[in-house]
Amino acid sequence: MSYKRVTLSQFLMEGQHRYGGSGTLTSLLTDIRTTCKMISHEVNRGAMAGNMGVAGTENVQGEEQKKLDVLANDIFLHMTAQSGNYAAMASEELEDVHVVHGSAGRYLLLFDPLDGSSNIDINIAVGSVFSILRLPDGASGETLESFLQPGVKQVAAGYAIYGSSTMLVLTTGHGVNGFTLDQNIGVFVLTHPNMRIPEDASEFAINASRARFWEPPVKRYIDECLAGAEGPRGRDFNMRWVAAMVAEVHRILCRGGVFMYPVDDKNTKQGGKLRLMYEANPMAFIVEQAGGRAITGQDRILDINPTGLHQRVGVILGSKNEVDRLERYHQDYEATAGKAEV
Ligand code: AFP
């Protein structure tokens, strides 16, 4: 490989000059970069560092925490607090807002420190997801209301994937770029410039064990995919399910497809499964910036006005034409269901 490579630091500096930034965004993302390198190291050490298994505690959502969930959360809190850029943070693993005392920072950080943690003990890809918001003028980082901004307000978002290699994928609203960690020199290198999601695809990801709970538009879409070349779509579809949204979104960025964790008959009460503020919003920002779409079924995810830090939402995202189709199926269903009620 050529030594003429673009590192993440060089890329951020260049973006700062091109878009006339003050350097704050570069600094915010530098904190994240270091955080993800440290988590990657801990994930890679696995059983040798005693990092596997459960922590014996539950998070705010009542989910069992793995040791690495707790460790990754601590690394995020510690490493991103030091620069004083963030006024406050919110995490999947913490019930309330975490205030960075003594910080004059004007940004808010939301994160899922280790997404897909049920994969840790079986050595399958996991990741970290983050979203950065501006602290509204006159607001304090201590209040929950400061965080309750729709996804369109994000200034940056991204994820790290700890897979067969470690990658950091970022957007600041000017497209999506992917960086691979060169483990030998400890530097992220630009390997996937300007990532674009193909508009058409023949691959879907959904937890099929929930098929009996699916709403009719989702069932219609999947049934048509499964019917393959002999069905209405006239072609065969492939299926994948990694059980880590980071890995599903990464696959979609690399080769297209659709990922769904929709609202279904079993999770309606909670609003869905995935968390809006630190899972759906950052991924929706990335997907849209790469030319794809992200909806709940009916609505654009980035337009949702949040009501809670740990709010859940239905998620359908990926290749534009496939998501358009799913949206159409939801509209068709609502139109006919509406008529049936009259
Ligand atoms: P964890 O981070 O708690 O493992 O959850 C992962 C996740 O939120 C998302 O990344 C997956 O797509 C989804 O849950 C998997 O859910 P199922 O276990 O229902 O397949």
Side-chain angles (χ1 to χ4, degrees), residues 62-97:
E63 297 160 345
E64 182 181 68
Q65 287 179 306
K66 305 278 185 185
K67 284 184 194 164
L68 269 176
D69 280 324
V70 177
L71 183 58
N73 191 58
D74 287 349
I75 293 174
F76 248 101
L77 292 177
H78 181 70
M79 294 308 297
T80 53
Q82 285 178 340
S83 61
N85 286 317
Y86 294 105
M89 302 173 195
S91 161
E92 182 189 10
E93 305 300 332
L94 300 174
E95 183 150 12
D96 298 316
V97 165

Side-chain angles (χ1 to χ4, degrees), residues 63 92 112 114-118 207 210 241 243-246 248 259 261 273-275 279:
E63 297 160 345
E92 182 189 10
D112 177 354
L114 209 59
D115 174 65
S117 51
S118 65
N207 184 341
R210 303 179 70 89
W241 188 249
M245 189 193 197
V246 163
E248 319 278 7
F259 164 80
Y261 215 119
K273 153 105 183 182
L274 301 176
R275 278 50 61 111
E279 290 181 326

Side-chain angles (χ1 to χ4, degrees), residues 124-144:
I124 294 181
V126 289
S128 304
V129 193
F130 69 91
S131 161
I132 300 175
L133 293 167
R134 233 177 236 110
L135 186 61
D137 285 343
S140 148
E142 289 173 31
T143 62
L144 167 65

